[in-house]
Amino acid sequence: MRTRFQLGVLVLSVAALAACRQDMHDQPKFIPLRPSTFFSDGRSARPIIEGTVARGHLDEDTAYYTGKDANGKLVAEFPFAVTKEILLRGQNRFNIYCTPCHDYTGSGNGMVVQRGFRHPPSYHIDRLRNAPAGHFFDVITNGLGAMQDYSMQLTPEDRWAVAAYIRALQYSQEASINDVPAAERAQLGQGAAK
Amino acid sequence: MSQIFHHTANYIAKMSLVLLAALLLFAGWVMDRGSRSDFVTRAEMVREQPVPFSHAHHVGGMGLDCRYCHTSVEKSSFANIPPTKICMNCHSQIWLTSPTLEPVRASFRDNTSIRWTRVHDLPDFVYFNHSIHVAKGVGCETCHGRVDKMALTWQQNSLQMEWCLNCHRNPERYVRPREFITTMGYQPAGDQEEIGRKLVAEYHIQNPRTLTSCNTCHR
């Protein structure tokens, strides 16, 4: 009788241990995107209450954070010094977020356009060549016509980097052999010969 | 009184002990294999989704970069499932009348969430972080397989502790240069071990001792 009792306890406690497993697997905490029954929209992540400013995000520099000066006019020049690092970052982000439509050269024949999206204007038209730098920042931040905004996917720093890279793309299409430093011209010929 | 059991019964009794041991071993083996099987780890199992979103179309066909949708994969532990707005970047114009996309449009109209079914789900007692892996040159493909060929998403690897440790012990077998993080079908330009060892040094990947200590993943 006694051994049966011990056996019973053993079996029950093993069963109890097995049951613990799932509790630790699915803990009652919120991980990103886990739904909540508490809020009516079912989301556990809450939007920021209107008017709140996160620490360090006062964003007083309107030229930098909106691409417009105090009078609401688009800034003509980049409000920071454009360095090689910034251009490389811009190239990286441009290739991820913009090439699906604008393609790698900016002429606007990306894969999505080939499947029926509206054809964007080429970056290499006079209107966009002469457009103020702030225009590109503004289009990324607020969208334009058929193009949605990319403010969710790109931080202000990245938006400026992309804008700077678009400028570089524009210059690249007008470049002539005289823009290449004399020392490196020989390399160009080699590349073509290969 | 004659004997109840024939004398071969001794033999049978002994054999049955051996048999029992063999049976137990076999059962252990089955359980061991079983716990690693795809059925238990749910690997290679296609999950139904509210919208039949196809990575094969969007990544394989159109060449979208993973980060176009999985925006936070470089910066945070969580890779992010794209909000409806990102789908609407394109689907505000293309496949406008497709009935398969109706849940996406409804979600955008009513500001409700699409309830995607989770494909990967580590237990909550495991700490995993995407950003560190991406920053140190572990490609999406290494852990998630050829996503660009998946019409519906499935989990490629077991995600068991054994699998994590296998790489944490020998990262040089898997790491690739950072610029190929999201590349699918990556081929190392030379001997993987050699390139891997160079990258482990260059990216300052910690020693296996640290990477396999329990509190790296259970914290």
Side-chain angles (χ1 to χ4, degrees):
Chain A
M1 202 60 223
R2 203 178 152 78
T3 48
R4 269 223 197 131
F5 177 72
Q6 279 175 347
L7 199 73
V9 168
L10 194 75
V11 167
L12 278 180
S13 51
V14 166
L17 275 178
C20 286
R21 186 186 152 99
Q22 287 314 316
D23 287 353
M24 293 304 279
H25 271 230
D26 300 309
Q27 297 162 16
K29 66 180 180 186
F30 289 116
I31 57 170
L33 297 191
R34 185 171 277 179
S36 149
T37 49
F38 188 78
F39 298 102
S40 56
D41 62 3
R43 296 170 192 163
S44 58
R46 306 313 304 161
I48 298 172
I49 292 165
E50 220 169 308
T52 19
V53 176
R55 185 176 284 255
H57 283 271
L58 202 49
D59 301 352
E60 274 176 313
D61 187 349
T62 48
Y64 193 83
Y65 288 101
T66 64
K68 294 178 183 142
D69 62 18
N71 307 323
K73 233 176 104 263
L74 292 167
V75 293
E77 296 301 328
F78 290 97
F80 55 93
V82 179
T83 61
K84 189 174 173 193
E85 280 81 63
I86 291 180
L87 282 179
L88 286 176
R89 172 75 181 168
Q91 179 182 38
N92 175 286
R93 295 293 109 171
F94 182 86
N95 288 350
I96 296 172
Y97 297 106
C98 315
T99 50
C101 298
H102 291 277
D103 81 34
Y104 286 87
T105 61
S107 60
N109 292 317
M111 286 301 273
V112 181
V113 174
Q114 291 170 28
R115 307 209 175 184
F117 206 85
R118 177 176 320 161
H119 198 298
S122 163
Y123 290 153
H124 313 297
I125 56 175
D126 281 339
R127 178 173 64 82
L128 286 176
R129 264 192 219 121
N130 300 327
H135 179 61
F136 300 102
F137 184 89
D138 185 56
V139 171
I140 306 176
T141 311
N142 299 315
L144 182 99
M147 181 180 140
Q148 304 278 326
D149 70 87
Y150 281 77
S151 55
M152 200 159 47
Q153 282 141 300
L154 292 167
T155 61
E157 290 77 24
D158 285 345
R159 283 174 231 164
W160 279 119
V162 167
Y165 180 67
I166 293 178
R167 266 281 126 86
L169 273 180
Q170 291 176 331
Y171 288 137
S172 77
Q173 296 289 312
E174 310 174 351
S176 74
I177 191 71
N178 296 328
D179 296 328
V180 183
E184 267 137 47
R185 272 182 215 168
Q187 272 185 356
L188 276 181
Q190 274 173 4
K194 259 193 213 145
Chain B
M1 204 170 85
S2 64
Q3 283 180 325
I4 296 175
F5 295 112
H6 192 259
H7 70 267
T8 51
N10 283 341
Y11 201 61
I12 292 174
K14 275 186 208 151
M15 278 313 287
S16 66
L17 280 181
V18 174
L19 215 72
L20 188 71
L23 212 71
L24 280 176
L25 269 174
F26 180 70
W29 181 80
V30 166
M31 269 157 77
D32 179 58
R33 288 290 105 192
S35 71
R36 288 179 171 83
S37 72
D38 290 350
F39 180 73
V40 170
T41 62
R42 302 194 303 172
E44 317 242 329
M45 203 198 273
V46 166
R47 232 51 64 81
E48 281 296 313
Q49 298 287 356
V51 183
F53 174 80
S54 158
H55 283 93
H57 265 148
H58 292 85
V59 180
M62 264 178 286
L64 288 182
D65 190 286
C66 312
R67 290 164 287 185
Y68 187 94
C69 292
H70 301 297
T71 44
S72 60
V73 73
E74 292 169 308
K75 306 188 280 263
S76 87
S77 61
F78 184 63
N80 193 29
I81 298 297
T84 309
K85 159 78 174 51
I86 291 187
C87 310
M88 292 311 271
N89 281 352
C90 296
H91 288 294
S92 61
Q93 291 244 330
I94 32 183
W95 290 75
L96 266 184
T97 50
S98 165
T100 36
L101 278 165
E102 181 50 32
V104 178
R105 291 190 294 268
S107 151
F108 194 64
R109 261 198 317 272
D110 312 339
N111 189 23
T112 51
S113 309
I114 304 178
R115 290 229 171 180
W116 300 104
T117 315
R118 270 202 88 107
V119 179
H120 300 72
D121 197 2
L122 283 176
D124 286 355
F125 55 77
V126 180
Y127 174 77
F128 177 77
N129 193 323
H130 271 99
S131 62
I132 184 77
H133 291 95
V134 171
K136 303 271 174 146
V138 188
C140 314
E141 185 188 2
T142 310
C143 298
H144 293 302
R146 291 300 296 267
V147 176
D148 63 329
K149 296 199 171 146
M150 298 182 187
L152 281 176
T153 321
W154 69 80
Q155 176 184 318
Q156 180 78 26
N157 288 299
S158 71
L159 303 196
Q160 280 177 325
M161 183 162 140
E162 182 183 36
W163 172 73
C164 312
L165 289 177
N166 179 37
C167 176
H168 279 203
R169 290 199 183 104
N170 310 296
E172 69 279 359
R173 289 195 198 146
Y174 303 96
V175 289
R176 50 172 86 181
R178 281 190 196 115
E179 59 268 32
F180 300 118
I181 282 297
T182 56
T183 308
M184 292 280 137
Y186 162 81
Q187 293 291 339
D191 180 38
Q192 170 63 37
E193 293 258 343
E194 198 180 305
I195 298 175
R197 262 193 301 276
K198 224 181 288 159
L199 290 175
V200 164
E202 188 185 332
Y203 295 162
H204 304 292
I205 292 178
Q206 298 164 76
N207 57 345
R209 224 184 112 91
T210 322
L211 283 180
T212 53
S213 60
C214 315
N215 65 352
T216 299
C217 308
H218 304 292
R219 43 174 122 182

